[in-house]
Every structure is written in structure tokens, then in C-alpha cells.
Amino acid sequence: AEAESVVTKHLIDTLVRHQSEIAVKAFAALLKVAKEFTNAILPGDLAYQDGELGYWRGKQWVVMSRATFSGTEQLLAYTALQIALCQDSPSKIIFFEEAGNIHPTLLDKVVERVLHLIKSGVIDQAFMVEPTAERYRKFIKAGEVQHIEII
């Protein structure tokens, strides 16, 4: 019984280690795409560490949670994952459900990243849901945004 217990413990430890390695590899591929959106927008480098998503702010690890990520940071991180996860889809469409919460100082960067991702074929289209299109007028005038509709 003791030998069986030792073998069982060894098997469990091996499985947990392999599961962790698989998760790290899977997230590495997702994060490569996600970072194409979040780089230069989030205050740090989006990463996966010890089973948690977050970013590095200098040498400080900031875990993605309601307590540590602002609402905008959560929106941007989840959108980045949405972008990464839709890559095998025939239609790569993303939704910013609460785009109105994106601080005006970040909005230009966000729209520029979205336009870059569309032009480079990473995504096909983006829907920025908010009560007014006024914040996007300069992109329409520049000919970068094709259509804005208030519903």
C-alpha cells in the first residue's frame, strides 16, 4: 500500500507538471497575438504566470483581477484575448461592449491598434459600442474608419 501511494503521488505530480507546461505553451501562442493589441496600450507587458493572467509593471507582477485591473484595463485585456481566440474563425470580429469607458487619452491608441490589426488581417472588423460616435469623428475624416452607426 505504501509503494502504491508513492507511485500515485509521483503520477499526480507528473500530470500536474505536464498540465502546467501545456497551459504555458497554449497561453504563449495566445499572448503573442493578444500583445499585438495591448502593447503600447496597457501599462505593462501582458503575460501568463503561475496560472494567472496579468502584466508586468516594471518588476511588479499585476494579476488580472477586479481588485488590481481598472475597468479599462480589464476591457482591453479581455479584448486582446478575444482577438487571439478568434484567429481560427472564418470571421474575426471583436466587440468593445463598453467602449465609452475607455479614457479619452487612451482612445486614440486603441483605435489606432484596431485599425492596424484590421489592415494587417489579424481581425476583420471591430464594433465599438458606446452612446455617441463623436469621439470617432476624426478617424472618419481621415478616411480610416469606414462606417459609424448609432443604434
Side-chain angles (χ1 to χ4, degrees), residues 52-79:
E52 297 182 300
L53 190 63
Y55 64 79
W56 288 100
R57 184 182 294 148
K59 293 185 181 204
Q60 180 185 4
W61 173 245
V62 181
V63 175
M64 189 168 110
S65 74
R66 290 181 185 194
T68 57
F69 268 40
S70 70
T72 298
E73 289 173 334
Q74 287 179 43
L75 171 68
L76 298 174
Y78 284 127
T79 300

mmCIF file of all heavy atoms in Angstrom, residues 52-79:
data_model
loop_
_atom_site.group_PDB
_atom_site.id
_atom_site.type_symbol
_atom_site.label_atom_id
_atom_site.label_comp_id
_atom_site.label_asym_id
_atom_site.label_seq_id
_atom_site.Cartn_x
_atom_site.Cartn_y
_atom_site.Cartn_z
ATOM 1 N N GLU A 52 -1.967 32.478 -13.829
ATOM 2 C CA GLU A 52 -2.762 33.701 -13.826
ATOM 3 C C GLU A 52 -2.330 34.638 -14.948
ATOM 4 O O GLU A 52 -1.162 34.697 -15.306
ATOM 5 C CB GLU A 52 -2.627 34.425 -12.480
ATOM 6 C CG GLU A 52 -3.167 33.611 -11.326
ATOM 7 C CD GLU A 52 -3.072 34.341 -10.019
ATOM 8 O OE1 GLU A 52 -1.948 34.689 -9.609
ATOM 9 O OE2 GLU A 52 -4.132 34.554 -9.412
ATOM 10 N N LEU A 53 -3.318 35.373 -15.460
ATOM 11 C CA LEU A 53 -3.056 36.373 -16.477
ATOM 12 C C LEU A 53 -2.812 37.706 -15.778
ATOM 13 O O LEU A 53 -3.448 38.018 -14.773
ATOM 14 C CB LEU A 53 -4.270 36.487 -17.404
ATOM 15 C CG LEU A 53 -4.108 37.296 -18.669
ATOM 16 C CD1 LEU A 53 -3.056 36.672 -19.576
ATOM 17 C CD2 LEU A 53 -5.436 37.379 -19.402
ATOM 18 N N GLY A 54 -1.902 38.485 -16.317
ATOM 19 C CA GLY A 54 -1.608 39.788 -15.736
ATOM 20 C C GLY A 54 -0.619 40.518 -16.617
ATOM 21 O O GLY A 54 -0.490 40.225 -17.798
ATOM 22 N N TYR A 55 0.068 41.467 -16.023
ATOM 23 C CA TYR A 55 1.123 42.155 -16.761
ATOM 24 C C TYR A 55 2.203 42.592 -15.791
ATOM 25 O O TYR A 55 2.007 42.667 -14.580
ATOM 26 C CB TYR A 55 0.595 43.336 -17.578
ATOM 27 C CG TYR A 55 -0.001 44.494 -16.793
ATOM 28 C CD1 TYR A 55 0.804 45.438 -16.176
ATOM 29 C CD2 TYR A 55 -1.381 44.655 -16.713
ATOM 30 C CE1 TYR A 55 0.268 46.500 -15.478
ATOM 31 C CE2 TYR A 55 -1.933 45.717 -16.022
ATOM 32 C CZ TYR A 55 -1.105 46.642 -15.410
ATOM 33 O OH TYR A 55 -1.642 47.687 -14.716
ATOM 34 N N TRP A 56 3.363 42.841 -16.365
ATOM 35 C CA TRP A 56 4.496 43.328 -15.588
ATOM 36 C C TRP A 56 4.516 44.846 -15.652
ATOM 37 O O TRP A 56 4.495 45.428 -16.722
ATOM 38 C CB TRP A 56 5.808 42.782 -16.146
ATOM 39 C CG TRP A 56 5.970 41.329 -15.859
ATOM 40 C CD1 TRP A 56 5.735 40.297 -16.710
ATOM 41 C CD2 TRP A 56 6.387 40.756 -14.630
ATOM 42 N NE1 TRP A 56 5.977 39.105 -16.082
ATOM 43 C CE2 TRP A 56 6.382 39.357 -14.802
ATOM 44 C CE3 TRP A 56 6.757 41.277 -13.384
ATOM 45 C CZ2 TRP A 56 6.739 38.480 -13.779
ATOM 46 C CZ3 TRP A 56 7.115 40.410 -12.379
ATOM 47 C CH2 TRP A 56 7.103 39.033 -12.578
ATOM 48 N N ARG A 57 4.516 45.462 -14.499
ATOM 49 C CA ARG A 57 4.708 46.912 -14.382
ATOM 50 C C ARG A 57 6.086 47.070 -13.760
ATOM 51 O O ARG A 57 6.244 47.009 -12.550
ATOM 52 C CB ARG A 57 3.630 47.542 -13.512
ATOM 53 C CG ARG A 57 3.760 49.060 -13.446
ATOM 54 C CD ARG A 57 2.726 49.693 -12.543
ATOM 55 N NE ARG A 57 1.388 49.507 -13.093
ATOM 56 C CZ ARG A 57 0.293 49.369 -12.340
ATOM 57 N NH1 ARG A 57 0.385 49.377 -11.033
ATOM 58 N NH2 ARG A 57 -0.883 49.217 -12.900
ATOM 59 N N GLY A 58 7.079 47.211 -14.632
ATOM 60 C CA GLY A 58 8.464 47.193 -14.156
ATOM 61 C C GLY A 58 8.773 45.795 -13.646
ATOM 62 O O GLY A 58 8.615 44.824 -14.366
ATOM 63 N N LYS A 59 9.142 45.683 -12.386
ATOM 64 C CA LYS A 59 9.438 44.377 -11.792
ATOM 65 C C LYS A 59 8.264 43.844 -10.971
ATOM 66 O O LYS A 59 8.355 42.772 -10.395
ATOM 67 C CB LYS A 59 10.682 44.472 -10.910
ATOM 68 C CG LYS A 59 11.928 44.754 -11.714
ATOM 69 C CD LYS A 59 13.159 44.732 -10.858
ATOM 70 C CE LYS A 59 14.365 45.037 -11.731
ATOM 71 N NZ LYS A 59 15.583 44.518 -11.199
ATOM 72 N N GLN A 60 7.168 44.596 -10.955
ATOM 73 C CA GLN A 60 5.986 44.188 -10.177
ATOM 74 C C GLN A 60 4.998 43.425 -11.059
ATOM 75 O O GLN A 60 4.622 43.883 -12.133
ATOM 76 C CB GLN A 60 5.297 45.419 -9.589
ATOM 77 C CG GLN A 60 4.067 45.080 -8.768
ATOM 78 C CD GLN A 60 3.337 46.328 -8.295
ATOM 79 O OE1 GLN A 60 3.697 47.436 -8.635
ATOM 80 N NE2 GLN A 60 2.304 46.123 -7.514
ATOM 81 N N TRP A 61 4.581 42.235 -10.597
ATOM 82 C CA TRP A 61 3.594 41.430 -11.291
ATOM 83 C C TRP A 61 2.200 41.879 -10.854
ATOM 84 O O TRP A 61 1.882 41.888 -9.669
ATOM 85 C CB TRP A 61 3.804 39.951 -10.972
ATOM 86 C CG TRP A 61 2.758 39.030 -11.501
ATOM 87 C CD1 TRP A 61 1.894 38.272 -10.774
ATOM 88 C CD2 TRP A 61 2.461 38.754 -12.869
ATOM 89 N NE1 TRP A 61 1.087 37.541 -11.604
ATOM 90 C CE2 TRP A 61 1.410 37.824 -12.902
ATOM 91 C CE3 TRP A 61 2.981 39.215 -14.077
ATOM 92 C CZ2 TRP A 61 0.871 37.338 -14.087
ATOM 93 C CZ3 TRP A 61 2.437 38.732 -15.255
ATOM 94 C CH2 TRP A 61 1.406 37.800 -15.253
ATOM 95 N N VAL A 62 1.363 42.275 -11.800
ATOM 96 C CA VAL A 62 -0.002 42.725 -11.521
ATOM 97 C C VAL A 62 -0.954 41.671 -12.079
ATOM 98 O O VAL A 62 -1.072 41.505 -13.293
ATOM 99 C CB VAL A 62 -0.289 44.105 -12.163
ATOM 100 C CG1 VAL A 62 -1.697 44.560 -11.830
ATOM 101 C CG2 VAL A 62 0.748 45.133 -11.716
ATOM 102 N N VAL A 63 -1.621 40.948 -11.187
ATOM 103 C CA VAL A 63 -2.549 39.887 -11.577
ATOM 104 C C VAL A 63 -3.833 40.510 -12.090
ATOM 105 O O VAL A 63 -4.334 41.492 -11.529
ATOM 106 C CB VAL A 63 -2.865 38.977 -10.367
ATOM 107 C CG1 VAL A 63 -3.927 37.943 -10.733
ATOM 108 C CG2 VAL A 63 -1.608 38.306 -9.878
ATOM 109 N N MET A 64 -4.384 39.947 -13.158
ATOM 110 C CA MET A 64 -5.639 40.455 -13.713
ATOM 111 C C MET A 64 -6.791 40.049 -12.799
ATOM 112 O O MET A 64 -7.173 38.885 -12.721
ATOM 113 C CB MET A 64 -5.876 39.900 -15.118
ATOM 114 C CG MET A 64 -7.040 40.573 -15.805
ATOM 115 S SD MET A 64 -7.088 40.161 -17.549
ATOM 116 C CE MET A 64 -8.537 39.137 -17.565
ATOM 117 N N SER A 65 -7.306 41.030 -12.073
ATOM 118 C CA SER A 65 -8.467 40.818 -11.209
ATOM 119 C C SER A 65 -9.196 42.146 -11.073
ATOM 120 O O SER A 65 -8.670 43.202 -11.444
ATOM 121 C CB SER A 65 -8.033 40.321 -9.829
ATOM 122 O OG SER A 65 -7.457 41.376 -9.082
ATOM 123 N N ARG A 66 -10.387 42.101 -10.537
ATOM 124 C CA ARG A 66 -11.148 43.339 -10.341
ATOM 125 C C ARG A 66 -10.468 44.268 -9.339
ATOM 126 O O ARG A 66 -10.632 45.472 -9.405
ATOM 127 C CB ARG A 66 -12.559 43.019 -9.874
ATOM 128 C CG ARG A 66 -13.379 42.384 -10.958
ATOM 129 C CD ARG A 66 -14.772 42.106 -10.501
ATOM 130 N NE ARG A 66 -15.455 41.397 -11.572
ATOM 131 C CZ ARG A 66 -16.734 41.229 -11.615
ATOM 132 N NH1 ARG A 66 -17.489 41.686 -10.651
ATOM 133 N NH2 ARG A 66 -17.284 40.583 -12.621
ATOM 134 N N ALA A 67 -9.694 43.691 -8.452
ATOM 135 C CA ALA A 67 -9.025 44.494 -7.429
ATOM 136 C C ALA A 67 -7.782 45.203 -7.966
ATOM 137 O O ALA A 67 -7.389 46.239 -7.440
ATOM 138 C CB ALA A 67 -8.642 43.614 -6.238
ATOM 139 N N THR A 68 -7.167 44.651 -9.012
ATOM 140 C CA THR A 68 -5.889 45.205 -9.472
ATOM 141 C C THR A 68 -5.940 45.826 -10.864
ATOM 142 O O THR A 68 -5.111 46.655 -11.190
ATOM 143 C CB THR A 68 -4.793 44.123 -9.468
ATOM 144 O OG1 THR A 68 -5.223 43.026 -10.279
ATOM 145 C CG2 THR A 68 -4.499 43.639 -8.068
ATOM 146 N N PHE A 69 -6.875 45.410 -11.706
ATOM 147 C CA PHE A 69 -7.021 45.982 -13.045
ATOM 148 C C PHE A 69 -8.162 46.985 -13.023
ATOM 149 O O PHE A 69 -9.230 46.696 -12.491
ATOM 150 C CB PHE A 69 -7.381 44.891 -14.068
ATOM 151 C CG PHE A 69 -6.212 44.253 -14.764
ATOM 152 C CD1 PHE A 69 -5.040 43.946 -14.095
ATOM 153 C CD2 PHE A 69 -6.302 43.912 -16.102
ATOM 154 C CE1 PHE A 69 -3.985 43.336 -14.735
ATOM 155 C CE2 PHE A 69 -5.250 43.299 -16.755
ATOM 156 C CZ PHE A 69 -4.086 43.010 -16.073
ATOM 157 N N SER A 70 -7.954 48.130 -13.632
ATOM 158 C CA SER A 70 -9.058 49.085 -13.769
ATOM 159 C C SER A 70 -10.075 48.496 -14.743
ATOM 160 O O SER A 70 -9.786 47.525 -15.452
ATOM 161 C CB SER A 70 -8.535 50.425 -14.315
ATOM 162 O OG SER A 70 -8.155 50.274 -15.675
ATOM 163 N N GLY A 71 -11.249 49.091 -14.811
ATOM 164 C CA GLY A 71 -12.263 48.630 -15.759
ATOM 165 C C GLY A 71 -11.758 48.683 -17.188
ATOM 166 O O GLY A 71 -12.002 47.779 -17.987
ATOM 167 N N THR A 72 -11.033 49.744 -17.521
ATOM 168 C CA THR A 72 -10.479 49.872 -18.869
ATOM 169 C C THR A 72 -9.428 48.798 -19.123
ATOM 170 O O THR A 72 -9.405 48.186 -20.193
ATOM 171 C CB THR A 72 -9.869 51.273 -19.079
ATOM 172 O OG1 THR A 72 -10.917 52.237 -18.946
ATOM 173 C CG2 THR A 72 -9.230 51.407 -20.442
ATOM 174 N N GLU A 73 -8.560 48.547 -18.156
ATOM 175 C CA GLU A 73 -7.537 47.515 -18.322
ATOM 176 C C GLU A 73 -8.177 46.145 -18.528
ATOM 177 O O GLU A 73 -7.718 45.359 -19.359
ATOM 178 C CB GLU A 73 -6.595 47.482 -17.119
ATOM 179 C CG GLU A 73 -5.667 48.664 -17.044
ATOM 180 C CD GLU A 73 -4.864 48.710 -15.763
ATOM 181 O OE1 GLU A 73 -5.308 48.177 -14.728
ATOM 182 O OE2 GLU A 73 -3.770 49.293 -15.811
ATOM 183 N N GLN A 74 -9.256 45.865 -17.777
ATOM 184 C CA GLN A 74 -9.967 44.594 -17.959
ATOM 185 C C GLN A 74 -10.549 44.510 -19.363
ATOM 186 O O GLN A 74 -10.413 43.489 -20.043
ATOM 187 C CB GLN A 74 -11.086 44.454 -16.929
ATOM 188 C CG GLN A 74 -10.601 44.178 -15.532
ATOM 189 C CD GLN A 74 -11.753 44.074 -14.560
ATOM 190 O OE1 GLN A 74 -12.770 43.452 -14.850
ATOM 191 N NE2 GLN A 74 -11.605 44.685 -13.393
ATOM 192 N N LEU A 75 -11.211 45.588 -19.811
ATOM 193 C CA LEU A 75 -11.791 45.619 -21.149
ATOM 194 C C LEU A 75 -10.725 45.353 -22.205
ATOM 195 O O LEU A 75 -10.919 44.541 -23.118
ATOM 196 C CB LEU A 75 -12.458 46.974 -21.410
ATOM 197 C CG LEU A 75 -12.936 47.248 -22.829
ATOM 198 C CD1 LEU A 75 -14.111 46.349 -23.195
ATOM 199 C CD2 LEU A 75 -13.319 48.709 -22.994
ATOM 200 N N LEU A 76 -9.582 45.992 -22.086
ATOM 201 C CA LEU A 76 -8.514 45.846 -23.070
ATOM 202 C C LEU A 76 -7.893 44.453 -23.030
ATOM 203 O O LEU A 76 -7.622 43.860 -24.081
ATOM 204 C CB LEU A 76 -7.460 46.927 -22.867
ATOM 205 C CG LEU A 76 -7.961 48.367 -23.045
ATOM 206 C CD1 LEU A 76 -6.870 49.358 -22.682
ATOM 207 C CD2 LEU A 76 -8.485 48.599 -24.452
ATOM 208 N N ALA A 77 -7.688 43.913 -21.838
ATOM 209 C CA ALA A 77 -7.104 42.569 -21.727
ATOM 210 C C ALA A 77 -8.055 41.512 -22.272
ATOM 211 O O ALA A 77 -7.635 40.611 -23.012
ATOM 212 C CB ALA A 77 -6.755 42.271 -20.268
ATOM 213 N N TYR A 78 -9.337 41.621 -21.938
ATOM 214 C CA TYR A 78 -10.309 40.652 -22.456
ATOM 215 C C TYR A 78 -10.473 40.797 -23.976
ATOM 216 O O TYR A 78 -10.640 39.811 -24.678
ATOM 217 C CB TYR A 78 -11.656 40.782 -21.765
ATOM 218 C CG TYR A 78 -11.665 40.199 -20.367
ATOM 219 C CD1 TYR A 78 -12.097 40.938 -19.283
ATOM 220 C CD2 TYR A 78 -11.233 38.894 -20.132
ATOM 221 C CE1 TYR A 78 -12.105 40.413 -18.000
ATOM 222 C CE2 TYR A 78 -11.232 38.352 -18.856
ATOM 223 C CZ TYR A 78 -11.670 39.114 -17.790
ATOM 224 O OH TYR A 78 -11.669 38.584 -16.532
ATOM 225 N N THR A 79 -10.410 42.007 -24.472
ATOM 226 C CA THR A 79 -10.477 42.216 -25.920
ATOM 227 C C THR A 79 -9.262 41.587 -26.593
ATOM 228 O O THR A 79 -9.383 40.962 -27.649
ATOM 229 C CB THR A 79 -10.568 43.712 -26.253
ATOM 230 O OG1 THR A 79 -11.752 44.246 -25.645
ATOM 231 C CG2 THR A 79 -10.609 43.946 -27.747
#
